[in-house]
Amino acid sequence: MFQGETAITVDDKGRLTIPTSYRDLVVAACANRLVLTYNPFESGCLWVFPHAEWEKVRDQVNALPSVKAVHRALQMKLVGAAAIVEPDSAARILLPASQRAAAGIEKKAVLLGMGNKFELWSEQAHLAKIRQTIGEDEISDDMTDLRL
């Protein structure tokens, strides 16, 4: 399980180094095969899946009937844009330029461990999202059972 927030620097070639605290987990979860794709629900963010976890998501998304425009959009953003990456000997992965540009990820980014995947946020988008509070009118029925 991935959890935690880490400030990341993207080098001039578009590579990021997987934080030391996650390296063993990444090897165990996916033998160093990761999949990068768009987060279809949040701008400024990419999703990074261990390969085995990605296959489950990919199969679910591809099973949606493509006669609906929203299904095709989800398939395009998740499956069509998916890129398999493997960390090099220095634990760096290359972020595709098109994904970096679309998410606004430049020099500074934030990597969040979100259980079964990572979220890679542009620094600006992450800061804006973190500064947003959850209003009382946004609390779902499922959230009312939480003991925070």
Side-chain angles (χ1 to χ4, degrees):
M1 172 175 283
F2 307 118
Q3 68 180 32
E5 176 181 288
T6 307
I8 296 287
T9 300
V10 178
D11 71 16
D12 293 337
K13 295 180 181 179
R15 299 174 300 190
L16 69 81
T17 301
I18 296 172
T20 306
S21 59
Y22 292 128
R23 290 180 193 171
D24 290 341
L25 289 171
V26 168
V27 170
C30 60
N32 267 345
R33 292 190 77 205
L34 298 167
V35 177
L36 278 88
T37 194
Y38 297 111
N39 175 339
F41 306 110
E42 307 281 355
S43 61
C45 178
L46 300 175
W47 282 346
V48 185
F49 286 94
H51 193 266
E53 190 67 32
W54 164 249
E55 289 178 329
K56 294 179 212 172
V57 171
R58 178 201 62 205
D59 292 348
Q60 288 179 50
V61 171
N62 278 340
L64 295 170
S66 60
V67 295
K68 290 192 172 197
V70 69
H71 294 176
R72 289 190 308 275
L74 186 64
Q75 289 162 342
M76 178 191 79
K77 291 178 181 185
L78 286 178
V79 180
I84 296 173
V85 296
E86 294 184 18
D88 64 14
S89 60
R92 297 173 301 197
I93 57 172
L94 178 64
L95 305 173
S98 57
Q99 291 182 357
R100 284 194 327 266
I105 295 171
E106 295 173 359
K107 277 290 214 196
K108 298 195 181 268
V110 178
L111 186 69
L112 298 177
M114 298 294 292
N116 67 333
K117 67 180 176 294
F118 292 104
E119 291 184 352
L120 180 64
W121 287 83
S122 76
E123 184 180 52
Q124 301 83 1
H126 177 258
L127 188 56
K129 194 59 140 172
I130 289 299
R131 287 182 174 165
Q132 289 178 349
T133 59
I134 298 172
E136 201 168 316
D137 59 329
E138 297 175 286
I139 297 173
S140 70
D141 291 338
D142 293 330
M143 292 168 74
T144 60
D145 292 333
L146 297 174
R147 301 290 172 240
L148 304 175

